[in-house]
């Protein structure tokens, strides 16, 4: 698998405060994103995700380290022609309408006007903004800004798409739509690099992830390598029997007027409870096995680090 | 092509700025005021209108350049519009030049509007269009372009307020520095003279673009003076723009 994006030993510090003291933000980031994968860049607030992406785009000059896109320098125009970038909390020229804005950006790729028109129509449809195409961007809501931001990132039909917190500011439906779009981009053969601190949002779609904490990558790999499929515990909700009877089989988490939620660690105990409830003509309302999630892994690693 | 796209977008944005129209309004007030002033004086009334009018054009043109120019890059960074635009396949210098030409176009339109008002006021007095005024106005435009490049340079590394102050100082020094020339002639040769000479060479001399008196009073202007002023303008503007590009290239967009 050829590396589409390769970062080696990236260092960056900011000068802060009155005395311009140096504060290390990135302490030797190395990662490599392969052709056609969805790569998740995960970490808590302030870990350095945005800083890394800004270095890749060329907005920041790193002190040390090497960044390659498609095997060339990340600053080469040839590389930039093939990337799309959506910043976090994007904001655009608010005096333009969505249509004018996308036409303006398409000129920066030297796309012919006719071709641009068609492309823009398709993109507005993709992000669900056809009706707002003639609205000035200053009148856009946060989620709509996010959507137009995605549209501008896809103008040049990029091979590598960099998305910084793409799900921020979107409603649940919007999040689902965006995830679908990202999966579709992958199906089209594009490579997607996305950052997030919300793990459930990305764990369904990412092929590989890197976890960054405090400017250092503490773990990197395929999701199934980082997260085991093992069931950690099962949540059982039942009614119709006394709590006392199941005592010792699991930990009671909540107790409603009729229903009881039990956290059961051992699998054989789950079966015992089910049999018991059935024998008393009680009812099992739900039974949810919880496997290890990225969230758990994340919490654990942040604690350790 | 890419520079043109950015310039046109800059123009579209800048031409909506209220500051421009406030300044345009005051410039108009000054020009009309010169007409009233002319009524109250004896002597050549047209000359007064022309004098005050050209001075207003020069002053308000410079103020427009400073107030618009200093916000130019700062606004893009502050609002983060620069993030996506620099992610596109353009060089940073193309972006900066696009911004520059966009503002120059805006100021051209503004200066044109002021000139129309100015020439109309003269026309109402003399019933002739004083075309030779355009020569003076052309050099006012060149001066405004130079000031824009200076404002752009400052806006690449400091806040609008600080860059406005710096650009204003540039404007003032530029119009006072010719005094050094007379000083140089009076000082005896030595360290002091050399130092003054160096300062004078580096300091801008915006009086090189001032042909107001000559035009208003129909004095002859030798062609080599035009040539010198044009070359001086070109060299100074180019140097400032190159400096701005270097600063802009080096900076981080946090
Ligand atoms: N303008 C700035 N000046 C100084 N320090 C900054 C600046 N911007 C960010 N930082 C610091 O850089 C570090 C990394 O910030 P960064 O924006 O990369 O985090 P992030 O991982 O993107 O976080 P988030 O999930 O909140 O977006 C933070 O500790 C922050 O304090
Ligand atoms: Mg961030």
């Amino acid at each position: 698998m050829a590396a589409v994006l390769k970062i080696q030993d990236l260092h960056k510090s900011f000068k802060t405060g009155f005395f311009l003291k140096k504060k290390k933000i990135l302490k030797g980031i190395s990662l490599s994103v392969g052709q056609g994968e969805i790569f998740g860049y995960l970490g808590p607030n302030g870990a350095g995700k945005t800083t890394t992406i800004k270095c890749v785009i060329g907005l920041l000059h790193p002190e040390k380290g090497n960044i390659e896109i498609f095997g060339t320098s990340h600053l080469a125009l040839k590389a930039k022609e093939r990337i799309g970038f959506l910043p976090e909390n994007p904001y655009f020229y608010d005096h333009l309408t969505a249509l004018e804005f996308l036409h303006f950006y398409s000129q920066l790729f030297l796309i012919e006007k006719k071709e641009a028109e068609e492309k823009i129509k398709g993109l507005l449809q993709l992000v669900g903004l056809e009706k707002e195409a003639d609205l000035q961007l200053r009148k856009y809501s946060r989620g709509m800004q996010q959507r137009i931001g995605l549209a501008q990132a896809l103008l040049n039909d990029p091979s590598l798409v960099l998305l910084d917190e793409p799900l921020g500011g979107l409603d649940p439906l919007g999040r689902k739509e965006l995830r679908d779009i990202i999966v579709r981009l992958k199906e089209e053969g594009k490579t997607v690099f996305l950052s997030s601190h919300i793990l459930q949002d990305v764990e369904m779609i990412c092929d590989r992830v890197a976890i960054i904490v405090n400017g250092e990558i503490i773990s990197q790999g395929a999701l199934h390598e980082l997260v085991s499929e093992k069931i950690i515990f099962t949540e059982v909700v039942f009614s119709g029997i006394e709590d006392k009877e199941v005592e010792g089989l699991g930990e009671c988490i909540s107790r409603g007027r009729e229903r009881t939620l039990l956290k059961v660690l051992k699998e054989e105990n789950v079966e015992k409870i089910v049999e018991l409830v059935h024998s008393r003509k009680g009812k099992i309302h739900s039974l949810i096995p919880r496997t290890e999630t990225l969230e758990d892994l994340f919490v654990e690693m942040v604690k350790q680090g | 092509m890419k520079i043109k796209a950015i310039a046109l977008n800059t123009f579209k944005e800048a031409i909506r700025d209220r500051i421009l129209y406030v300044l345009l309004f005051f410039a108009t007030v000054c020009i009309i005021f010169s007409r009233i002033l002319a009524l109250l004086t004896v002597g050549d009334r047209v000359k007064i209108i022309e004098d005050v009018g050209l001075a207003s054009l020069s002053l308000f043109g410079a103020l427009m350049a400073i107030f618009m120019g200093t916000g130019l890059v700062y606004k893009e960074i502050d609002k983060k519009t620069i993030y996506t635009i620099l992610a596109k396949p353009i060089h940073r210098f193309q972006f900066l030049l696009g911004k520059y030409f966009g503002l120059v176009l805006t100021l051209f339109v503004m200066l044109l509007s002021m000139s129309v008002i100015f020439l109309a006021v003269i026309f109402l007095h003399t019933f002739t269009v004083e075309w030779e005024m355009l020569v003076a106005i052309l050099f006012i435009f060149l001066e405004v372009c130079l000031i824009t490049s200076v404002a752009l340079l400052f806006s690449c590394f400091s806040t609008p307020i600080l860059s406005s102050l710096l650009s204003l100082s540039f404007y003032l020094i530029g119009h006072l520095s010719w005094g050094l020339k007379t000083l140089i002639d009076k000082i005896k040769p030595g360290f002091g003279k050399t130092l003054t000479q160096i300062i004078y060479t580096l300091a801008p001399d915006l009086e090189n673009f001032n042909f107001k008196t000559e035009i208003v009073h129909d004095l002859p202007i030798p062609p080599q003076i035009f040539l010198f002023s044009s070359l001086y303008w070109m060299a100074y503007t180019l140097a400032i723009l190159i400096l701005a590009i270097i600063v802009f290239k080096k900076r981080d967009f946090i």
Side-chain angles (χ1 to χ4, degrees):
Chain A
M1 204 163 49
V4 167
L5 169 66
K6 198 167 172 190
I7 303 178
Q8 281 167 315
D9 199 28
L10 193 67
H11 286 262
K12 179 74 197 167
S13 39
F14 288 155
K15 295 191 181 111
T16 54
F18 184 72
F19 296 105
L20 297 178
K21 220 180 81 194
K22 270 199 178 179
K23 183 181 163 203
K24 280 193 178 167
I25 305 295
L26 300 180
K27 307 161 187 167
I29 299 288
S30 296
L31 59 84
S32 153
V33 181
Q35 159 72 42
E37 64 180 357
I38 301 179
F39 190 95
Y41 196 41
L42 309 172
N45 291 130
K49 303 182 292 290
T50 301
T51 308
T52 311
I53 294 179
K54 278 188 184 170
C55 287
V56 172
I57 298 298
L59 292 168
L60 298 176
H61 302 292
E63 274 116 48
K64 203 180 141 201
N66 189 34
I67 304 172
E68 274 182 14
I69 299 178
F70 312 113
T72 54
S73 155
H74 65 303
L75 297 175
L77 289 199
K78 227 170 56 191
K80 284 193 172 177
E81 259 157 30
R82 293 175 63 194
I83 64 170
F85 169 51
L86 170 67
E88 66 179 340
N89 309 329
Y91 189 86
F92 305 103
Y93 298 98
D94 58 10
H95 62 285
L96 299 177
T97 68
L99 218 53
E100 288 169 341
F101 168 67
L102 292 177
H103 269 293
F104 167 40
Y105 269 21
S106 69
Q107 286 171 353
L108 300 178
F109 289 108
L110 303 178
I111 301 174
E112 293 289 325
K113 193 147 195 244
K114 268 235 181 78
E115 197 191 332
E117 250 159 44
E118 240 162 73
K119 199 163 244 169
I120 289 168
K121 217 171 124 195
L123 282 173
L124 286 173
Q125 204 170 0
L126 180 75
V127 298
L129 286 176
E130 307 118 292
K131 284 201 205 100
E132 289 86 0
D134 290 314
L135 198 64
Q136 272 186 339
L137 294 184
R138 72 173 80 234
K139 293 173 188 149
Y140 269 37
S141 72
R142 169 111 159 65
M144 286 155 77
Q145 296 268 10
Q146 194 78 21
R147 286 161 193 258
I148 195 72
L150 183 68
Q152 64 83 27
L154 299 177
L155 257 179
N156 54 331
D157 205 9
S159 312
L160 169 64
V161 191
L162 298 140
L163 310 169
D164 196 357
E165 308 268 0
L167 297 166
L170 293 179
D171 55 26
L173 186 66
R175 294 168 107 80
K176 189 194 169 305
E177 282 172 4
L178 188 77
R179 274 196 299 261
D180 291 347
I181 291 175
I182 292 173
V183 170
R184 202 153 95 201
L185 292 176
K186 177 194 158 106
E187 283 164 5
E188 286 171 17
K190 298 181 181 14
T191 308
V192 182
F193 181 94
L194 61 98
S195 85
S196 180
H197 58 262
I198 302 167
L199 307 167
Q200 295 97 319
D201 277 338
V202 294
E203 63 183 344
M204 299 183 226
I205 53 173
C206 286
D207 300 310
R208 277 192 329 130
V209 298
I211 297 177
I212 173 175
V213 177
N214 240 326
E216 283 172 293
I217 291 194
I218 54 172
S219 178
Q220 178 170 192
L223 253 186
H224 61 87
E225 284 167 15
L226 294 181
V227 185
S228 68
E229 313 263 286
K230 205 182 84 210
I231 294 169
I232 321 172
F233 62 85
T234 311
E235 286 176 357
V236 190
V237 180
F238 59 84
S239 61
I241 60 167
E242 291 289 315
D243 296 340
K244 262 182 248 154
E245 294 180 69
V246 293
E247 219 168 283
L249 293 175
E251 183 192 337
C252 182
I253 291 178
S254 83
R255 189 176 292 128
R257 226 178 314 143
E258 290 170 356
R259 297 178 181 195
T260 305
L261 169 61
L262 212 61
K263 180 176 165 184
V264 188
L265 289 177
K266 286 186 190 143
E267 253 176 280
E268 62 258 31
N269 283 354
V270 176
E271 274 160 41
K272 274 186 202 159
I273 292 170
V274 172
E275 273 168 31
L276 198 68
V277 171
H278 277 304
S279 68
R280 297 291 154 86
K281 300 264 183 297
K283 204 172 167 198
I284 300 276
H285 297 279
S286 77
L287 198 153
I288 306 165
R290 281 261 283 129
T291 52
E292 191 182 23
T293 61
L294 215 43
E295 190 97 277
D296 304 316
L297 190 77
F298 195 53
V299 170
E300 202 175 292
M301 280 196 267
V302 173
K303 261 190 222 155
Q304 285 172 5
Chain B
M1 179 63 198
K2 291 173 184 174
I3 296 180
K4 190 176 130 201
I6 292 171
L8 284 180
N9 182 55
T10 305
F11 173 73
K12 267 196 222 164
E13 193 179 2
I15 204 77
R16 311 160 56 96
D17 204 309
R18 268 191 220 109
I19 292 180
L20 284 181
Y21 297 96
V22 172
L23 289 172
L24 187 65
F25 171 76
F26 281 116
T28 313
V29 168
C30 283
I31 294 168
I32 292 173
F33 177 72
S34 73
R35 172 83 175 90
I36 298 167
L37 201 67
L39 290 177
L40 301 176
T41 45
V42 281
D44 205 340
R45 288 176 171 170
V46 192
K47 296 237 179 318
I48 294 200
I49 302 178
E50 289 173 353
D51 247 345
V52 178
L54 284 178
S56 326
L57 250 65
S58 159
L59 176 68
F60 286 99
L63 287 179
M64 284 176 182
I66 290 172
F67 289 134
M68 298 297 294
T70 50
L72 212 55
V73 174
Y74 183 83
K75 216 158 73 186
E76 296 258 354
I77 299 170
D78 192 43
K79 291 197 167 182
K80 301 182 179 176
T81 46
I82 201 166
Y83 290 2
T84 45
I85 207 154
L86 288 186
K88 303 285 180 268
I90 60 167
H91 293 290
R92 284 191 181 187
F93 81 85
Q94 288 175 316
F95 172 80
L96 202 67
L97 287 182
K99 295 303 290 182
Y100 178 69
F101 289 127
L103 190 53
V104 163
L105 182 62
T106 313
L107 294 169
F108 177 77
V109 170
M110 285 293 136
L111 217 51
L112 198 69
S113 326
M114 289 194 277
S115 306
V116 168
I117 296 167
F118 171 58
L119 290 177
V121 169
I122 300 178
F123 182 79
L124 289 178
H125 191 86
T126 62
F127 298 104
T128 49
V129 181
E130 304 279 334
W131 292 114
E132 72 272 12
M133 289 299 135
L134 289 182
V135 178
I137 294 173
L138 172 72
F139 278 92
I140 290 176
F141 177 62
L142 291 188
E143 180 184 341
V144 164
C145 290
L146 173 54
I147 293 170
T148 306
S149 67
V150 172
L152 186 69
L153 168 64
F154 289 136
S155 86
C156 283
F157 61 85
S158 70
T159 59
I161 294 179
L162 186 59
S163 5
S164 295
L165 288 176
L166 291 171
S167 310
L168 273 174
S169 329
F170 177 89
Y171 180 68
L172 291 179
I173 292 170
H175 279 290
L176 299 174
S177 65
W178 60 274
L180 289 176
K181 227 174 6 184
T182 31
L183 193 64
I184 291 168
D185 294 338
K186 284 181 187 158
I187 303 178
K188 282 190 215 101
F191 177 71
K193 186 165 179 137
T194 325
L195 189 70
T196 323
Q197 231 148 11
I198 291 172
I199 292 174
Y200 175 71
T201 317
L202 287 179
D205 186 356
L206 298 177
E207 284 299 313
N208 279 328
F209 312 119
N210 184 357
F211 292 100
K212 297 184 200 79
T213 326
E214 288 87 340
I215 297 286
V216 170
H217 297 281
D218 292 322
L219 304 175
I221 306 169
Q224 59 269 35
I225 299 246
F226 280 134
L227 186 68
F228 173 76
S229 289
S230 307
L231 287 178
Y232 183 80
W233 173 78
M234 217 183 300
Y236 219 105
T237 310
L238 223 58
I240 299 279
L241 281 179
I242 289 171
L243 207 59
I245 286 171
I246 292 172
V247 172
F248 189 67
K249 259 209 162 113
K250 287 239 162 87
R251 74 161 290 169
D252 273 347
F253 298 103
I254 296 178

